[in-house]
């Protein structure tokens, strides 16, 4: 963009074809996801697609997945779980950084 400023519109058109679900397979660290089923900004299907693809590496016929968990907010829109999820995030970070081996326990 620094060299071809006149191609701004073309660049934005190309970026429409990039989807995080294609890159998320390369993730290597544990992750906490959340999804609000009434979200009209980030459709739940895209969150579930990312969650289901997160950290999956194909090596022959074996698939290895990185640890992840997801919190589902059935009656929320784009605001998600708000303070309920903030507390969950703080607990997640505390547990993540207090485990000397860097492992992630399953969501409770």
């Amino acid at each position: 963009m620094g060299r071809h400023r006149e191609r701004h519109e073309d660049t934005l058109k190309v970026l429409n074809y990039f989807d995080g679900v294609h890159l998320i397979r390369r993730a290597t660290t544990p992750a906490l996801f959340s999804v609000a089923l009434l979200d009209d900004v980030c459709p739940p299907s895209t969150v579930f697609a990312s969650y289901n693809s997160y950290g999956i590496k194909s090596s022959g016929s074996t698939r290895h997945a990185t640890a992840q968990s997801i919190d589902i907010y059935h009656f929320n829109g784009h605001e998600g779980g708000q303070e309920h999820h903030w507390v969950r995030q703080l607990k997640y970070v505390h547990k993540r950084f207090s485990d000397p081996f860097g492992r992630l326990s399953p969501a409770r």
Side-chain angles (χ1 to χ4, degrees):
M1 292 304 302
R3 290 186 183 182
H4 302 285
R5 290 185 174 97
E6 72 281 359
R7 300 193 68 192
H8 179 271
E9 292 297 321
D10 293 335
T11 302
L12 292 179
K13 286 178 188 174
V14 170
L15 288 176
N16 284 329
Y17 292 98
F18 286 87
D19 189 336
V21 76
H22 300 296
L23 302 173
I24 205 161
R25 293 180 178 125
R26 303 176 93 183
T28 59
T29 60
L32 172 63
F33 285 79
S34 69
V35 60
L37 299 184
L38 302 179
D39 192 337
D40 59 352
V41 177
C42 299
S45 60
T46 63
V47 177
F48 285 115
S50 294
Y51 174 76
N52 290 328
S53 297
Y54 188 82
I56 294 195
K57 295 177 176 57
S58 294
S59 58
S61 61
T62 307
R63 292 166 55 100
H64 306 281
T66 301
Q68 78 259 21
S69 61
I70 189 166
D71 292 342
I72 301 172
Y73 298 98
H74 296 272
F75 305 106
N76 293 80
H78 191 63
E79 77 281 359
Q82 294 182 316
E83 65 274 1
H84 302 287
H85 196 66
W86 299 339
V87 170
R88 174 77 169 101
Q89 289 171 326
L90 290 172
K91 288 179 180 179
Y92 175 87
V93 169
H94 180 265
K95 176 138 183 89
R96 180 84 182 100
F97 288 103
S98 63
D99 184 343
F101 301 103
R103 297 175 303 228
L104 175 66
S105 298
R108 297 177 193 247

